Amino acid sequence: MPQFFISSENIVNNNILITSKNDINHIVNVLRLKKGDKLILTDPGSLIYETEISEIKPNSIETIILDKYEPTRKLNIDITLAQSILKSQKQDIVIQKATELGVNTIIPFISQNTVVKLESEKDKNQKIQRWQKIAYESSKQCQRVTIPEISQIISINELIELNNFDVKLVCAEKDAQFSIKKLLLQNKENIIKNSRILVIIGPEGGWDDKELQLFRSKNITLVSLGNLILRAETASITAISDIIYEYEL
């Protein structure tokens, strides 16, 4: 069944009202659903509702709740991906795939070799809005119960000061202290439900030597993803997958 996100304020007794113009257009004109068809509606971070369309109006769709239950499609760990901003399509792919893999927060940041130049606050806000929309649509497609947060764009100096993580690692094609597998195994006994993990991925041009020194000075471990040199967007997907494999399966 198709899934859409709703707000708790749209739930009244045994009915849920869909009022988003984009969702109404998608349901009526793209999916061509009609009265009696079924939908999955999710209140982010709360419950999942199986519903049936009872009435379609120009500005709203009314549904009847058939069943509701706690979500199960979520990770037991809290992964944050910090991604040095990549060229448009590559960054879009990273956000889409990170969403599908269950990442909770995506932090876009600017490093020495970041190719993309965002000069104004307007440019930055437009990018964030675009990325948040991609995360929203990807969450619907893979039937997630939460939508990843795309944070404000920050500098690498701001990034290294972020705290409250149980594990912090940066993927580096050179000067790595451990393989990612070894680091994850070393920390496995300390990982419990909702443990917070920060994984940092660099730009297309790789890390500057001074940045690697900066990470080491803040005790952020440099890890290798193997003997091959990966594209930045591939490195993100690989690192997240490795974390899920070690801590979730």
Side-chain angles (χ1 to χ4, degrees), residues 22-249:
N22 289 336
D23 289 346
I24 293 169
N25 178 66
H26 192 193
I27 291 167
V28 175
N29 298 319
V30 179
L31 298 176
R32 298 189 179 279
L33 300 183
K34 56 188 183 299
K35 182 177 179 179
D37 286 332
K38 306 294 193 300
L39 291 172
I40 293 177
L41 301 179
T42 301
D43 184 4
S46 182
L47 295 174
I48 296 174
Y49 298 87
E50 290 186 9
T51 69
E52 179 180 299
I53 297 174
S54 58
E55 188 173 5
I56 297 177
K57 298 178 181 179
N59 297 315
S60 66
I61 295 175
E62 186 172 315
T63 68
I64 300 171
I65 297 173
L66 304 177
D67 195 10
K68 60 183 178 181
Y69 45 86
E70 295 282 343
T72 56
R73 288 188 175 133
K74 59 181 180 179
L75 300 181
N76 289 317
I77 52 176
D78 184 349
I79 301 176
T80 293
L81 170 66
Q83 173 70 63
S84 181
I85 300 172
L86 307 177
K87 292 179 182 178
S88 182
Q89 189 175 11
K90 294 179 180 179
Q91 188 78 2
D92 293 352
I93 290 171
V94 167
I95 291 168
Q96 182 188 70
K97 299 308 175 186
T99 299
E100 292 176 16
L101 287 167
V103 167
N104 276 340
T105 307
I106 299 171
I107 304 173
F109 70 95
I110 297 171
S111 58
Q112 178 66 36
N113 294 327
T114 298
V115 176
V116 178
K117 304 301 179 186
L118 300 173
E119 303 296 339
S120 68
E121 287 302 314
K122 181 180 179 181
D123 289 341
K124 292 179 181 179
N125 290 334
Q126 286 177 341
K127 285 288 187 184
I128 292 169
Q129 289 174 9
R130 171 183 170 79
W131 296 332
Q132 192 67 68
K133 183 177 180 181
I134 291 170
Y136 176 83
E137 294 298 332
S138 296
S139 297
K140 286 199 304 182
Q141 187 274 330
C142 66
Q143 297 193 355
R144 279 188 57 152
V145 295
T146 58
I147 305 165
E149 176 192 356
I150 310 296
S151 80
Q152 294 297 309
I153 297 170
I154 62 175
S155 68
I156 192 169
N157 288 320
E158 292 172 306
L159 175 64
I160 63 171
E161 297 298 334
L162 296 179
N163 295 314
N164 299 323
F165 290 97
D166 300 289
V167 177
K168 294 196 287 186
L169 61 92
V170 55
C171 296
E173 72 275 13
K174 61 180 181 179
D175 296 336
Q177 298 161 268
F178 303 103
S179 68
I180 188 171
K181 181 177 181 179
K182 184 175 181 180
L183 177 70
L184 295 175
L185 287 173
Q186 284 181 347
N187 288 277
K188 195 164 188 175
E189 290 185 0
N190 300 321
I191 297 299
I192 59 175
K193 187 174 182 179
N194 297 323
S195 287
R196 302 191 68 212
I197 300 169
L198 173 65
V199 55
I200 304 170
I201 306 292
E204 287 102 334
W207 296 112
D208 182 84
D209 287 341
K210 291 182 180 178
E211 291 172 333
L212 296 178
Q213 293 174 10
L214 199 59
F215 288 128
R216 284 193 287 264
S217 72
K218 293 293 181 177
N219 295 318
I220 302 175
T221 308
L222 276 60
V223 299
S224 164
L225 293 174
N227 294 326
L228 300 177
I229 303 298
L230 304 180
R231 291 178 180 269
E233 63 271 29
T234 308
S236 295
I237 298 167
T238 302
I240 296 165
S241 299
D242 285 346
I243 292 167
I244 293 170
Y245 178 81
E246 291 297 340
Y247 293 159
E248 285 282 331
L249 300 181

